Amino acid sequence: MKVLNGFYKTAFFFRDHVSKYKIFDNKESFLNWVEENAGHHGGYYLALNPEKIFAASKDKNLNRILKTAQGLIVDGVGAKLAIQYVLSKKYDRVTGVDAMLSVLQVAQEKGLRVGFFGAKKHVLEKVKKVVEREYSGVRAVFFLSGYGEDKASVSQVLTNHPVDIVFVALGSPEQEKWIDRIIDQYPDVIFTGVGGSFDVLSGKFLEASVAASNWNGMVLSIFIGTKKNVPKDVGFVTVRVDGFKGKKCLKKYLFALVHDQT
């Protein structure tokens, strides 16, 4: 029942607001938009899935914020099926992690200035190492955690150190609300919320597809992490297997993804 509710809420959201949005039908069109707007017109794009629609249906402020996005990525099987149902047009699914890595590749090729804001300091330090190693052409302007002095100083840093793109990893819906409060002050900057993508990039989570097929909209993924990071959504089917990461024994969780989760 929850899956069906998610589908219809997402479908109605697209139906009611499709004329106001730039909905990217594939990754190429999304990256073209990034190239055209980074450092020139700025903007706000988000990866939309049923989980955000559920939250917005209960939060008027979040609902308003979602409607202000200049671009939407179809993130999640439920979102993909819903938008194709409403618009009778094929749309490719682009996950938040894939979008972030693809934007980093564009930033490397174009020498764009990028800011990283959010997550805990130890996660951010690992993200910094990955960016410096794998995306050396990116002009990384700052790495600020979502806590303490870093969070308090981010506005000043943005003012004193211009950037083209800012990745915000505060978790949803806090990241969307933070962007909404600050975006008008920086009209030339592209902002986007990336949820747990910093965790994936840092290696805290290893996310990998284990099924090439898309059987009845079901996608299988592996998440390696601590038990407290396991999504609590009842739509997930969980299988536990003992595993190791470094010296600490962790758990490998195999999820049959029957309901999208950011």
Side-chain angles (χ1 to χ4, degrees):
M1 182 61 69
K2 188 174 182 181
V3 175
L4 291 177
N5 286 339
F7 176 84
Y8 286 115
K9 281 181 181 290
T10 307
F12 294 152
F13 188 93
F14 282 123
R15 182 200 65 186
D16 293 341
H17 306 295
V18 64
S19 63
K20 302 177 183 179
Y21 285 129
K22 169 64 177 178
I23 304 175
F24 304 113
D25 52 7
N26 54 45
K27 186 162 64 175
E28 182 180 1
S29 65
F30 160 61
L31 294 178
N32 287 339
W33 180 88
V34 171
E35 289 188 38
E36 292 171 1
N37 288 275
H40 302 291
H41 309 294
Y44 167 43
Y45 74 84
L46 64 87
L48 191 65
N49 58 26
E51 201 67 25
K52 284 191 175 74
I53 302 299
F54 268 116
S57 68
K58 301 175 183 178
D59 184 334
K60 291 182 179 180
N61 188 36
L62 179 60
N63 188 48
R64 176 190 60 80
I65 292 170
L66 295 188
K67 295 175 184 178
T68 65
Q70 281 76 46
L72 290 179
I73 298 171
V74 181
D75 176 17
V77 174
K80 176 181 177 180
L81 294 177
I83 191 173
Q84 292 180 166
Y85 171 78
V86 173
L87 301 181
S88 299
K89 178 182 176 181
K90 181 180 178 181
Y91 284 83
D92 291 343
R93 179 192 181 207
V94 182
T95 68
V97 175
D98 188 14
M100 178 181 170
L101 296 180
S102 297
V103 171
L104 280 174
Q105 186 62 43
V106 170
Q108 172 162 269
E109 295 169 358
K110 303 295 182 180
L112 299 178
R113 300 165 298 180
V114 180
F116 300 80
F117 171 50
K120 295 181 179 180
K121 284 192 175 182
H122 72 277
V123 171
L124 206 60
E125 289 171 359
K126 293 180 181 179
V127 170
K128 182 178 180 180
K129 290 180 180 179
V130 172
V131 171
E132 291 175 343
R133 182 180 69 245
E134 303 294 337
Y135 302 93
S136 57
V138 171
R139 296 162 63 187
V141 177
F142 61 80
F143 293 85
L144 295 172
S145 76
Y147 299 86
E149 293 181 0
D150 279 5
K151 189 173 185 179
S153 65
V154 66
S155 296
Q156 183 178 352
V157 172
L158 278 168
T159 300
N160 296 333
H161 303 278
V163 294
D164 301 307
I165 300 168
V166 176
F167 295 116
V168 183
L170 298 176
S172 186
E174 183 179 352
Q175 61 195 20
E176 286 80 19
K177 294 181 178 181
W178 183 87
I179 291 171
D180 180 64
R181 290 194 299 269
I182 203 170
I183 191 170
D184 288 342
Q185 301 174 43
Y186 308 98
D188 297 331
V189 179
I190 290 178
F191 289 89
T192 186
V194 296
S197 296
F198 284 7
D199 288 326
V200 176
L201 193 61
S202 72
K204 182 177 180 180
F205 288 129
L206 173 62
E207 183 183 38
S209 172
V210 295
S213 62
N214 182 6
W215 177 62
N216 288 336
M218 185 176 291
V219 176
L220 299 180
S221 298
I222 293 175
F223 291 80
I224 301 178
T226 59
K227 187 173 183 179
K228 66 180 181 180
N229 297 120
V230 178
K232 297 180 177 61
D233 196 295
V234 296
F236 284 90
V237 178
T238 306
V239 178
R240 191 180 74 181
V241 181
D242 287 339
F244 291 89
K245 182 179 179 182
K247 295 182 180 180
K248 295 182 179 180
C249 180
L250 302 178
K251 304 292 182 181
K252 291 184 179 180
Y253 295 91
L254 176 63
F255 297 111
L257 187 57
V258 294
H259 180 65
D260 298 308
Q261 177 84 13
T262 298

